[in-house]
């Protein structure tokens, strides 16, 4: 067997594989001999079928099968040994005139080669790295929410701005009859809230559904309707008040601290504020890191210049998926996926250049921490290592889940590389200001 390569250019090559008779003849002969021993052909005893008849009936099929196996094995070995970084898969050049009666065969494959390039993290323009903090306003609001959650309901005679109002939305024609408890801050307009203030049990408030809430999901919950029905709904509903209460805030005492933190590691309001701040900023760090990852990814794709074997990849995409595509469909698909492919190559280069690796122990450790956090949500605070090992083994038995965790860990390690080597500008701000700056006033 002889394999040669001709480089068309820096991104395309053609590999030619020449297969001689001695490469496959022994294997074909052995298979046909085994066929002869087991073949059931009318008129002949088992094992006594003439070899010529076996070759005539099975020879070509066996030859084609073995040559194809030999071809694929040889091509894969060649790509590995030559350390060729190919994109997609080798594409066989069409051959309609193969004469299988000849002793030797030649096959040609087109290759798309990965480009060579450098990744520069130190761009002239800095990338913002947000340090999101929990400010006093957020902490105080969270404490008030906790006090409300664990507070007592005190009945009221009339609705006030901070009342909790129980009642039923109704519209007979639209078959709406749903009892809810609401607060006035949920409504979109101040005029709606004013209709309720001063109202008593038994009073009926007439409301228009259009513009009643900021979000369709709130309307869905209020009227108990489907999302498709809520969107653009413009009807009149009544709300009949059946109960008015004011929530009396729970005292910030040890009884409340113990309900919130059964391990008794909070004994004062100062410690409660510290705990809320620490927990919030752990979550903010995840959001900050994800934002940094997205921004650096966008920067690298836009500023790392290299060519791709676009024509080859378009051709490869025509047959690579579950359904074959024509040339126009493949071109459209390539254009959609080009950005993603570019980042995959950039990410691979960064992983190689910075010796980023994820071990089996890394994956197992991450899975155990993830499981431990999930168990804590259900009150199991101190699982044994044996329990964690067992659950982790079941989780990682799912290859898709193991792959997902591995990708998460690689992203985390790349974020570490970016924090160390990229041109970053740290900006500290509250979560409220972060949301406004990054996502707009929504």
């Amino acid at each position: 067997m002889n394999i040669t390569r001709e480089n068309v250019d820096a991104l395309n090559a053609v590999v030619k594989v020449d297969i001689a008779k001695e490469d496959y003849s022994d294997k074909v002969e052995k298979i046909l001999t085994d066929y002869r021993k087991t073949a059931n052909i009318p008129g002949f005893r088992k094992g006594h079928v003439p070899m010529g008849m076996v070759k005539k009936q099975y020879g070509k099929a066996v030859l084609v099968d073995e040559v194809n196996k030999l071809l694929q094995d040889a091509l894969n070995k060649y790509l590995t040994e030559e350390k060729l970084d190919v994109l997609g898969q080798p594409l066989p050049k069409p051959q309609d005139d193969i004469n299988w009666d000849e002793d030797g065969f030649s096959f040609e494959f087109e290759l798309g080669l990965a480009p060579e390039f450098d990744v520069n993290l130190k761009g002239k323009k800095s990338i913002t790295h947000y340090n999101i903090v929990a400010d006093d306003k957020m902490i105080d609001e969270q404490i008030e929410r906790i006090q409300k959650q664990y507070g007592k309901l005190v009945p009221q005679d009339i609705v006030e701005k901070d009342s909790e109002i129980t009642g039923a939305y109704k519209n007979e024609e639209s078959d709406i009859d749903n009892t809810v408890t609401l607060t006035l801050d949920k409504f979109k307009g101040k005029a709606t809230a004013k209709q309720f203030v001063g109202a008593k049990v038994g009073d009926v408030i007439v409301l228009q559904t259009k513009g009643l809430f900021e979000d369709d999901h709130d309307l869905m919950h209020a009227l108990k309707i489907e999302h498709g029905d809520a969107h653009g709904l413009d009807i009149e509903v009544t709300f009949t008040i059946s109960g008015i209460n004011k929530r009396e805030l729970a005292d910030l005492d040890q009884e409340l601290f113990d309900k919130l933190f059964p391990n008794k590691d909070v004994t004062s309001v100062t410690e409660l504020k510290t705990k809320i701040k620490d927990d919030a900023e752990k979550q903010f760090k995840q959001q900050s890191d994800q934002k940094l990852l997205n921004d650096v990814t966008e920067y690298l794709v836009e500023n790392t210049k290299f060519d791709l074997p676009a024509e080859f990849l378009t051709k490869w995409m025509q047959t690579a998926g579950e359904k074959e595509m024509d040339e126009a469909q493949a071109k459209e698909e390539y254009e959609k996926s080009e950005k993603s492919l570019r980042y995959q190559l950039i990410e691979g280069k960064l992983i190689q250049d910075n010796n980023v690796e994820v071990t089996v122990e890394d994956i197992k450790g991450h899975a155990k921490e993830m499981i431990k956090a999930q168990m804590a949500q259900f009150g199991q605070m101190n699982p044994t290592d044996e329990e964690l090992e067992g659950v982790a083994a079941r989780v990682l038995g799912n290859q898709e889940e193991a792959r997902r965790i591995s990708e998460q860990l690689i992203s985390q390690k790349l974020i570490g590389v970016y924090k160390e080597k990229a041109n970053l500008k740290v900006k500290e701000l509250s979560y409220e200001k972060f949301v406004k700056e990054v996502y707009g006033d929504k």
Side-chain angles (χ1 to χ4, degrees):
M1 184 183 303
N2 186 42
I3 303 181
T4 56
R5 181 175 85 248
E6 178 187 348
N7 291 329
V8 178
D9 53 38
L11 299 173
N12 295 274
V14 175
V15 170
K16 184 179 181 184
V17 183
D18 294 318
I19 297 178
K21 185 175 183 179
E22 56 267 24
D23 296 321
Y24 60 81
S25 57
D26 290 348
K27 183 70 174 174
V28 170
E29 195 68 27
K30 182 180 183 308
I31 292 172
L32 290 174
T33 300
D34 291 341
Y35 274 19
R36 186 186 180 209
K37 293 175 184 176
T38 58
N40 282 315
I41 296 179
F44 297 95
R45 283 185 298 144
K46 202 172 192 177
H48 289 76
V49 179
M51 192 59 171
M53 185 173 288
V54 172
K55 286 184 177 181
K56 185 176 181 181
Q57 189 161 346
Y58 302 108
K60 194 169 192 178
V62 171
L63 172 63
V64 171
D65 190 44
E66 287 307 308
V67 167
N68 280 327
K69 286 181 185 176
L70 188 64
L71 185 60
Q72 290 303 319
D73 289 345
L75 189 58
N76 291 336
K77 185 179 178 183
Y78 175 79
L79 295 177
T80 302
E81 289 178 349
E82 292 292 312
K83 298 180 180 178
L84 290 177
D85 191 1
V86 300
L87 301 178
Q89 294 292 331
L91 283 177
K93 282 194 168 186
Q95 287 179 273
D96 299 327
D97 56 348
I98 299 176
N99 184 356
W100 293 102
D101 293 325
E102 292 184 355
D103 290 339
F105 311 99
S106 290
F107 302 91
E108 290 185 338
F109 293 84
E110 295 178 62
L111 302 182
L113 305 178
E116 292 186 8
F117 59 92
D118 293 316
V119 179
N120 178 22
L121 288 169
K122 291 283 186 184
K124 290 181 181 179
K125 187 177 179 181
S126 61
I127 298 170
T128 301
H129 178 208
Y130 293 97
N131 179 27
I132 311 169
V133 296
D135 60 2
D136 291 341
K137 180 186 174 188
M138 168 174 272
I139 294 169
D140 290 342
E141 287 175 349
Q142 178 63 14
I143 288 175
E144 186 176 341
R145 279 193 289 270
I146 291 170
Q147 288 180 279
K148 284 183 177 179
Q149 182 182 348
Y150 288 91
K152 293 185 295 184
L153 286 176
V154 179
Q156 291 180 292
D157 293 328
I158 62 172
V159 174
E160 297 177 5
K161 284 197 292 187
D162 56 353
S163 296
E164 293 187 12
I165 309 152
T166 301
Y169 287 103
K170 290 187 179 180
N171 179 299
E172 289 186 9
E173 289 183 7
S174 299
D175 197 25
I176 292 171
D177 187 353
N178 187 42
T179 300
V180 297
T181 297
L182 57 84
T183 54
L184 298 181
D185 60 332
K186 280 287 186 182
F187 293 118
K188 183 177 180 180
K190 291 181 180 179
T192 303
K194 283 182 179 179
Q195 287 183 258
F196 282 84
V197 175
K200 301 176 182 178
V201 171
D203 285 355
V204 179
I205 313 294
V206 178
L207 303 167
Q208 300 296 325
T209 58
K210 186 177 181 181
L212 190 58
F213 299 101
E214 289 281 0
D215 194 322
D216 281 348
H217 290 90
D218 289 329
L219 189 62
M220 288 166 55
H221 172 72
L223 306 184
K224 203 174 182 179
I225 56 178
E226 297 297 324
H227 186 272
D229 296 329
H231 185 65
L233 184 66
D234 186 8
I235 60 171
E236 185 176 276
V237 293
T238 60
F239 185 89
T240 304
I241 299 174
S242 59
I244 308 168
N245 295 286
K246 184 172 184 176
R247 192 168 289 273
E248 190 176 273
L249 299 182
D251 292 330
L252 293 172
D253 55 16
Q254 194 60 49
E255 182 182 353
L256 178 61
F257 302 154
D258 290 344
K259 286 178 182 177
L260 296 171
F261 306 102
N263 292 336
K264 299 184 184 295
D265 54 353
V266 171
T267 59
S268 68
V269 174
T270 300
E271 289 179 358
L272 174 63
K273 288 185 175 182
T274 300
K275 183 75 173 173
I276 290 171
K277 181 178 176 68
D278 290 345
D279 289 348
E281 289 180 357
K282 281 180 185 176
Q283 295 182 20
F284 297 161
K285 181 179 180 298
Q286 293 177 3
Q287 285 185 265
S288 171
D289 284 352
Q290 186 60 52
K291 173 64 177 165
L292 178 63
L293 181 64
N294 293 344
D295 289 346
V296 176
T297 297
E298 190 70 27
Y299 164 80
L300 291 173
V301 171
E302 293 298 322
N303 293 278
T304 307
K305 304 299 181 183
F306 54 82
D307 293 326
L308 290 170
E311 187 177 338
F312 168 84
L313 289 170
T314 302
K315 193 186 297 185
W316 171 69
M317 284 182 172
Q318 287 185 248
T319 56
E322 292 181 5
K323 293 182 179 179
E324 287 198 13
M325 293 183 277
D326 60 31
E327 188 177 346
Q329 289 172 323
K331 187 175 181 181
E332 182 181 353
E333 185 63 28
Y334 171 74
E335 288 171 356
K336 286 180 185 175
S337 59
E338 183 184 356
K339 193 172 182 179
S340 173
L341 175 57
R342 284 183 177 278
Y343 181 68
Q344 286 176 29
L345 292 171
I346 293 168
E347 184 183 65
K349 179 72 171 168
L350 286 166
I351 289 170
Q352 181 182 17
D353 289 350
N354 294 281
N355 299 314
V356 174
E357 62 176 352
V358 172
T359 66
V360 174
E361 287 305 312
D362 289 335
I363 296 172
K364 186 190 291 186
H366 184 83
K368 287 166 72 173
E369 287 300 316
M370 182 178 69
I371 294 159
K372 192 174 179 180
Q374 289 174 348
M375 293 173 82
Q377 291 178 358
F378 295 97
Q380 193 170 347
M381 305 304 295
N382 296 299
T384 65
D385 196 58
E386 186 178 351
E387 287 176 314
L388 292 173
E389 285 279 351
V391 179
R394 289 196 295 275
V395 169
L396 298 178
N398 181 331
Q399 289 187 348
E400 186 64 24
E401 185 65 17
R403 182 189 62 79
R404 188 184 67 81
I405 292 174
S406 177
E407 289 176 352
Q408 282 182 347
L409 289 172
I410 286 174
S411 291
Q412 288 177 12
K413 294 193 176 191
L414 283 175
I415 288 170
V417 172
Y418 300 156
K419 288 179 180 178
E420 179 187 349
K421 297 184 177 182
N423 181 12
L424 303 181
K425 176 184 68 178
V426 177
K427 185 172 185 178
E428 184 174 294
L429 71 181
S430 68
Y431 182 71
E432 184 179 3
K433 289 181 178 177
F434 168 77
V435 171
K436 284 182 179 178
E437 181 165 321
V438 173
Y439 303 108
D441 255 327
K442 295 180 181 179

Short mmCIF file of all heavy atoms in Angstrom, two decimals, residues 57-81:
data_model
loop_
_atom_site.label_atom_id
_atom_site.label_comp_id
_atom_site.label_asym_id
_atom_site.label_seq_id
_atom_site.Cartn_x
_atom_site.Cartn_y
_atom_site.Cartn_z
N GLN A 57 -20.15 -16.30 -6.32
CA GLN A 57 -21.33 -15.80 -5.64
C GLN A 57 -20.99 -14.69 -4.63
O GLN A 57 -21.74 -13.72 -4.48
CB GLN A 57 -22.06 -16.94 -4.92
CG GLN A 57 -23.41 -16.53 -4.36
CD GLN A 57 -24.30 -17.73 -4.07
OE1 GLN A 57 -24.01 -18.84 -4.52
NE2 GLN A 57 -25.37 -17.53 -3.33
N TYR A 58 -19.87 -14.82 -3.92
CA TYR A 58 -19.56 -13.90 -2.82
C TYR A 58 -18.29 -13.07 -3.03
O TYR A 58 -18.04 -12.11 -2.30
CB TYR A 58 -19.40 -14.67 -1.51
CG TYR A 58 -20.60 -15.48 -1.10
CD1 TYR A 58 -20.58 -16.88 -1.19
CD2 TYR A 58 -21.75 -14.86 -0.62
CE1 TYR A 58 -21.67 -17.64 -0.79
CE2 TYR A 58 -22.85 -15.60 -0.24
CZ TYR A 58 -22.81 -17.00 -0.32
OH TYR A 58 -23.89 -17.73 0.06
N GLY A 59 -17.49 -13.46 -3.99
CA GLY A 59 -16.15 -12.88 -4.11
C GLY A 59 -16.11 -11.37 -4.23
O GLY A 59 -15.35 -10.70 -3.53
N LYS A 60 -16.93 -10.81 -5.10
CA LYS A 60 -16.88 -9.37 -5.34
C LYS A 60 -17.31 -8.58 -4.10
O LYS A 60 -16.69 -7.57 -3.73
CB LYS A 60 -17.76 -9.00 -6.53
CG LYS A 60 -17.51 -7.60 -7.05
CD LYS A 60 -18.22 -7.40 -8.39
CE LYS A 60 -17.74 -6.13 -9.06
NZ LYS A 60 -18.36 -5.95 -10.38
N ALA A 61 -18.38 -9.06 -3.46
CA ALA A 61 -18.89 -8.37 -2.27
C ALA A 61 -17.85 -8.37 -1.16
O ALA A 61 -17.64 -7.35 -0.48
CB ALA A 61 -20.19 -9.02 -1.80
N VAL A 62 -17.19 -9.51 -0.98
CA VAL A 62 -16.15 -9.62 0.05
C VAL A 62 -14.98 -8.71 -0.28
O VAL A 62 -14.43 -8.02 0.58
CB VAL A 62 -15.69 -11.09 0.21
CG1 VAL A 62 -14.46 -11.17 1.12
CG2 VAL A 62 -16.82 -11.94 0.76
N LEU A 63 -14.58 -8.71 -1.55
CA LEU A 63 -13.46 -7.87 -1.99
C LEU A 63 -13.75 -6.39 -1.72
O LEU A 63 -12.92 -5.67 -1.16
CB LEU A 63 -13.21 -8.09 -3.48
CG LEU A 63 -12.20 -7.15 -4.15
CD1 LEU A 63 -10.83 -7.34 -3.55
CD2 LEU A 63 -12.18 -7.36 -5.66
N VAL A 64 -14.94 -5.94 -2.14
CA VAL A 64 -15.31 -4.53 -1.95
C VAL A 64 -15.32 -4.17 -0.46
O VAL A 64 -14.80 -3.14 -0.05
CB VAL A 64 -16.69 -4.24 -2.58
CG1 VAL A 64 -17.18 -2.85 -2.20
CG2 VAL A 64 -16.63 -4.40 -4.09
N ASP A 65 -15.88 -5.06 0.35
CA ASP A 65 -15.97 -4.81 1.79
C ASP A 65 -14.58 -4.70 2.41
O ASP A 65 -14.30 -3.79 3.20
CB ASP A 65 -16.79 -5.93 2.45
CG ASP A 65 -17.12 -5.61 3.90
OD1 ASP A 65 -17.51 -4.47 4.17
OD2 ASP A 65 -16.98 -6.50 4.75
N GLU A 66 -13.70 -5.62 2.08
CA GLU A 66 -12.36 -5.64 2.68
C GLU A 66 -11.51 -4.47 2.20
O GLU A 66 -10.75 -3.89 2.97
CB GLU A 66 -11.67 -6.96 2.36
CG GLU A 66 -12.22 -8.14 3.13
CD GLU A 66 -12.24 -7.88 4.63
OE1 GLU A 66 -11.19 -7.49 5.19
OE2 GLU A 66 -13.32 -8.03 5.23
N VAL A 67 -11.64 -4.10 0.94
CA VAL A 67 -10.88 -2.95 0.43
C VAL A 67 -11.33 -1.68 1.12
O VAL A 67 -10.50 -0.84 1.50
CB VAL A 67 -11.03 -2.83 -1.11
CG1 VAL A 67 -10.51 -1.48 -1.60
CG2 VAL A 67 -10.28 -3.96 -1.80
N ASN A 68 -12.65 -1.54 1.33
CA ASN A 68 -13.16 -0.35 2.02
C ASN A 68 -12.67 -0.29 3.47
O ASN A 68 -12.30 0.78 3.96
CB ASN A 68 -14.68 -0.32 1.98
CG ASN A 68 -15.21 0.20 0.65
OD1 ASN A 68 -14.59 1.05 0.03
ND2 ASN A 68 -16.34 -0.32 0.21
N LYS A 69 -12.67 -1.43 4.16
CA LYS A 69 -12.16 -1.47 5.54
C LYS A 69 -10.69 -1.10 5.57
O LYS A 69 -10.25 -0.30 6.40
CB LYS A 69 -12.34 -2.87 6.13
CG LYS A 69 -13.76 -3.23 6.50
CD LYS A 69 -13.80 -4.63 7.09
CE LYS A 69 -15.22 -5.08 7.36
NZ LYS A 69 -15.26 -6.48 7.84
N LEU A 70 -9.94 -1.69 4.67
CA LEU A 70 -8.50 -1.43 4.58
C LEU A 70 -8.24 0.04 4.28
O LEU A 70 -7.34 0.67 4.85
CB LEU A 70 -7.91 -2.32 3.48
CG LEU A 70 -6.38 -2.36 3.33
CD1 LEU A 70 -5.75 -2.96 4.57
CD2 LEU A 70 -6.02 -3.19 2.10
N LEU A 71 -9.05 0.59 3.40
CA LEU A 71 -8.91 1.98 2.99
C LEU A 71 -9.14 2.93 4.18
O LEU A 71 -8.35 3.85 4.43
CB LEU A 71 -9.92 2.27 1.88
CG LEU A 71 -9.88 3.64 1.20
CD1 LEU A 71 -8.54 3.87 0.54
CD2 LEU A 71 -11.01 3.72 0.17
N GLN A 72 -10.22 2.70 4.92
CA GLN A 72 -10.54 3.57 6.06
C GLN A 72 -9.49 3.46 7.16
O GLN A 72 -9.06 4.47 7.74
CB GLN A 72 -11.93 3.22 6.62
CG GLN A 72 -13.08 3.61 5.72
CD GLN A 72 -13.09 5.09 5.37
OE1 GLN A 72 -12.83 5.94 6.21
NE2 GLN A 72 -13.36 5.39 4.10
N ASP A 73 -9.06 2.24 7.46
CA ASP A 73 -8.03 2.04 8.49
C ASP A 73 -6.74 2.74 8.10
O ASP A 73 -6.09 3.40 8.92
CB ASP A 73 -7.77 0.55 8.71
CG ASP A 73 -8.93 -0.14 9.40
OD1 ASP A 73 -9.79 0.57 9.95
OD2 ASP A 73 -8.99 -1.38 9.38
N ALA A 74 -6.33 2.58 6.84
CA ALA A 74 -5.08 3.16 6.37
C ALA A 74 -5.15 4.69 6.38
O ALA A 74 -4.19 5.36 6.78
CB ALA A 74 -4.78 2.67 4.95
N LEU A 75 -6.31 5.24 5.99
CA LEU A 75 -6.46 6.69 5.94
C LEU A 75 -6.42 7.28 7.35
O LEU A 75 -5.74 8.29 7.61
CB LEU A 75 -7.78 7.04 5.26
CG LEU A 75 -8.01 8.52 4.92
CD1 LEU A 75 -6.91 9.06 4.03
CD2 LEU A 75 -9.38 8.70 4.26
N ASN A 76 -7.15 6.65 8.29
CA ASN A 76 -7.15 7.14 9.67
C ASN A 76 -5.76 7.07 10.29
O ASN A 76 -5.33 8.00 10.98
CB ASN A 76 -8.14 6.32 10.52
CG ASN A 76 -9.59 6.58 10.14
OD1 ASN A 76 -9.91 7.64 9.60
ND2 ASN A 76 -10.46 5.63 10.41
N LYS A 77 -5.05 5.97 10.04
CA LYS A 77 -3.69 5.83 10.56
C LYS A 77 -2.76 6.88 9.97
O LYS A 77 -1.93 7.48 10.68
CB LYS A 77 -3.17 4.42 10.23
CG LYS A 77 -1.81 4.11 10.83
CD LYS A 77 -1.38 2.69 10.48
CE LYS A 77 0.01 2.40 11.04
NZ LYS A 77 0.48 1.05 10.65
N TYR A 78 -2.92 7.15 8.69
CA TYR A 78 -2.08 8.14 8.02
C TYR A 78 -2.30 9.54 8.61
O TYR A 78 -1.34 10.27 8.90
CB TYR A 78 -2.40 8.16 6.52
CG TYR A 78 -1.66 9.24 5.75
CD1 TYR A 78 -0.33 9.07 5.37
CD2 TYR A 78 -2.30 10.43 5.41
CE1 TYR A 78 0.34 10.06 4.66
CE2 TYR A 78 -1.65 11.43 4.70
CZ TYR A 78 -0.32 11.24 4.34
OH TYR A 78 0.35 12.22 3.65
N LEU A 79 -3.57 9.91 8.81
CA LEU A 79 -3.88 11.22 9.37
C LEU A 79 -3.31 11.38 10.78
O LEU A 79 -2.82 12.45 11.16
CB LEU A 79 -5.39 11.45 9.40
CG LEU A 79 -6.10 11.51 8.04
CD1 LEU A 79 -7.60 11.67 8.24
CD2 LEU A 79 -5.56 12.64 7.18
N THR A 80 -3.36 10.29 11.55
CA THR A 80 -2.82 10.32 12.91
C THR A 80 -1.31 10.43 12.90
O THR A 80 -0.72 11.26 13.61
CB THR A 80 -3.25 9.05 13.69
OG1 THR A 80 -4.68 8.97 13.71
CG2 THR A 80 -2.73 9.08 15.11
N GLU A 81 -0.67 9.59 12.10
CA GLU A 81 0.80 9.58 12.07
C GLU A 81 1.36 10.88 11.52
O GLU A 81 2.40 11.36 11.98
CB GLU A 81 1.29 8.39 11.24
CG GLU A 81 1.06 7.04 11.93
CD GLU A 81 1.51 5.87 11.06
OE1 GLU A 81 1.79 6.10 9.85
OE2 GLU A 81 1.56 4.74 11.57
#
